[in-house]
């Protein structure tokens, strides 16, 4: 069995329907062109939505030009607007860094601002899997933590991830729920520990990752470069473009875009230097763990 290739995201996702579902069939520019267009979504009152979404006042919606593409939408106002805009920026940072996450955007439907997220079916929450045992899950979560440290998202418990399997029996760990990220804080809010690999945070009651710090020590920088090499390609122009488009409806988009761009660049530099200082350069040869997907396939096909 071959090793999982987390670097080539389309190869890892593999299935054309999943690639389309997670928006890897389009460029960022193409996605922005669709997402910031008013009324590209239509509310569909007949659409069946998950119970957890229904009790949180979400409704079903479909894309006007692609009715089979389904979303969950919820009207937003007040502080929910900026939180949802930050979540949209995080999704596009994930997209840029080849990270699996569920699309979340801010858009207008009939003049009303909505938070919208893609509807993912045939998925299980990470909390239902023994993710501390199977390396394929550990590896994806270890890479994901880089994103959450950079975006100061301190609420990453197992319920903030979904697991989907593909036709190759790879388990895809999909990050969801970015409402607790903090892109506006200028300070180093999450600090690396001086002794050993680890971190200290202001929020002691929340998770930065479901993994224990020991899980990260099994890999070297050659593994983590899978994620860092994309973050190191970010510059102020790329970040400003992402932010200004995600903040399309915000009257302070120029101010926030400059602030967030500066913050992200500083955090990338800090987190990369910390990982490089604390972890070895090379990782022992890893095995493939595709068999894990078979158990989920049996679960879904009951």
């Amino acid at each position: 069995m071959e090793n999982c290739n987390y670097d080539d995201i389309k190869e890892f996702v593999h299935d054309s329907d999943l690639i389309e579902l997670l928006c890897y069939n389009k460029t960022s520019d193409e996605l922005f062109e669709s997402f910031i267009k008013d009324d590209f979504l239509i509310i569909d009152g007949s659409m069946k939505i998950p119970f957890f979404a229904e009790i949180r006042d979400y409704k079903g919606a479909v894309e006007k030009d692609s009715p089979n593409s389904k979303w969950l939408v919820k009207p937003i106002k007040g502080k929910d607007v900026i939180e949802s805009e930050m979540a949209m920026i995080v999704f596009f940072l994930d997209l840029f860094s080849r990270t699996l996450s569920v699309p979340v955007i801010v858009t207008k439907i009939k003049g009303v601002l909505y938070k919208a997220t893609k509807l993912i079916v045939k998925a299980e929450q990470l909390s239902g899997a023994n993710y501390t045992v199977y390396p394929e899950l550990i590896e994806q979560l270890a890479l994901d933590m880089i994103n959450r440290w950079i975006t100061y998202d301190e609420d990453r418990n197992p319920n903030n991830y979904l697991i989907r399997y593909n036709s190759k029996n790879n388990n895809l760990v999909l990050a969801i729920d970015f409402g607790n990220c903090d892109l506006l804080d200028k300070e180093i809010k999450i600090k690396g520990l001086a002794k050993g690999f680890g971190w200290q945070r202001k929020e002691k009651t929340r998770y930065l990752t479901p993994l224990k710090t020991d899980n990260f020590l099994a890999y070297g920088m050659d593994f983590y470069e899978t994620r860092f090499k994309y973050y190191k390609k970010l510059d102020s122009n790329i970040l400003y473009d992402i932010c200004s488009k995600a903040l399309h409806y915000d009257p302070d988009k120029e101010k926030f875009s400059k602030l967030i761009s500066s913050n992200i660049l500083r955090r990338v530099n800090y987190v990369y230097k910390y990982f490089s200082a604390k972890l070895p350069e090379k990782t022992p040869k890893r095995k493939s763990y595709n068999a894990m997907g078979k158990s989920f396939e049996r679960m879904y096909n009951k």
Side-chain angles (χ1 to χ4, degrees):
M1 292 187 292
E2 299 178 355
N3 290 339
C4 293
N5 186 353
Y6 306 117
D7 188 39
D8 188 336
I9 200 69
K10 283 188 177 180
E11 180 184 328
F12 182 54
V13 173
H14 183 65
D15 299 341
S16 59
D17 59 330
L18 291 177
I19 290 173
E20 182 176 355
L21 178 67
L22 298 173
C23 297
Y24 288 110
N25 61 325
K26 295 182 179 180
T27 66
S28 293
D29 287 341
E30 290 171 335
L31 291 175
F32 272 124
E33 185 178 350
S34 298
F35 293 162
I36 64 177
K37 186 187 302 180
D38 292 358
D39 298 309
F40 92 95
L41 291 177
I42 303 171
I43 302 292
D44 183 356
S46 65
M47 195 174 112
K48 185 177 179 180
I49 64 174
F51 177 72
F52 76 88
E54 188 174 5
I55 62 174
R56 290 171 173 79
D57 298 323
Y58 281 91
K59 298 178 181 178
V62 297
E63 294 185 23
K64 184 185 297 184
D65 298 330
S66 183
N68 290 327
S69 186
K70 299 180 179 181
W71 294 72
L72 299 172
V73 300
K74 179 180 181 178
I76 52 175
K77 59 182 179 180
K79 68 180 183 65
D80 290 338
V81 175
I82 187 67
E83 288 179 358
S84 300
E85 290 169 338
M86 297 300 102
M88 184 173 179
I89 292 171
V90 169
F91 165 68
F92 275 93
L93 288 174
D94 283 358
L95 194 71
F96 184 88
S97 61
R98 312 310 194 261
T99 304
L100 291 177
S101 64
V102 176
V104 55
I105 65 170
V106 175
T107 189
K108 274 189 177 180
I109 304 174
K110 294 185 177 180
V112 177
L113 273 178
Y114 281 83
K115 176 183 180 180
T117 184
K118 274 286 188 83
L119 176 62
I120 308 296
V121 296
K122 295 183 180 179
E124 291 288 324
Q125 284 189 323
L126 182 68
S127 54
N130 198 345
Y131 60 88
T132 60
V133 171
Y134 295 98
E136 184 179 299
L137 302 181
I138 293 173
E139 289 170 358
Q140 292 178 73
L141 289 170
L143 292 174
D144 181 85
M145 200 275 281
I146 294 171
N147 302 55
R148 310 314 150 203
W149 191 333
I150 290 170
T151 57
Y152 288 179
D153 190 343
E154 296 187 75
D155 197 9
R156 304 309 303 174
N157 64 64
N159 293 329
N160 297 128
Y161 298 91
L162 298 177
I163 299 178
R164 272 288 304 257
Y165 73 94
N166 64 12
S167 60
K168 292 174 66 176
N169 288 323
N170 290 130
N171 290 274
L172 312 180
V173 178
L174 312 180
I176 61 173
D177 297 339
F178 308 122
N180 290 295
C181 68
D182 181 356
L183 305 182
L184 302 176
D185 199 321
K186 295 181 181 180
E187 303 299 322
I188 298 297
K189 190 175 178 181
I190 304 171
K191 297 182 179 180
L193 299 178
K195 294 183 178 180
F197 180 84
W199 50 87
Q200 59 184 20
R201 304 169 292 117
K202 293 180 179 179
E203 284 283 358
K204 301 300 182 183
T205 58
R206 292 181 177 178
Y207 297 85
L208 179 57
T209 171
L211 298 179
K212 295 181 178 180
T213 54
D214 289 350
N215 293 123
F216 293 88
L217 301 177
Y219 307 96
M221 283 302 294
D222 57 336
F223 172 71
Y224 293 111
E225 285 287 0
T226 301
R227 185 62 38 82
F228 277 124
K229 71 180 182 182
Y230 294 107
Y231 271 107
K232 289 189 293 182
K233 290 179 181 179
L234 289 171
D235 60 30
S236 56
N237 291 328
I238 294 172
L239 284 165
Y240 184 86
D241 185 60
I242 290 173
C243 294
S244 61
K245 289 176 179 176
L247 294 160
H248 174 68
Y249 301 105
D250 198 306
D252 293 319
K253 70 176 183 178
E254 183 175 354
K255 178 184 74 174
F256 286 141
S257 296
K258 289 180 179 179
L259 174 60
I260 293 168
S261 298
S262 176
N263 286 345
I264 293 297
L265 288 175
R266 185 166 55 253
R267 295 176 193 180
V268 169
N269 184 58
Y270 178 84
V271 177
Y272 180 73
K273 284 185 174 180
Y274 183 75
F275 268 69
S276 299
K278 294 295 182 182
L279 298 174
E281 291 184 7
K282 298 292 184 180
T283 302
K285 187 176 180 181
R286 304 190 306 276
K287 298 178 180 180
S288 176
Y289 303 92
N290 294 344
M292 174 61 178
K294 296 177 182 178
S295 64
F296 280 94
E297 184 174 6
R298 289 193 294 270
M299 182 190 309
Y300 296 140
N301 292 331
K302 284 182 179 179

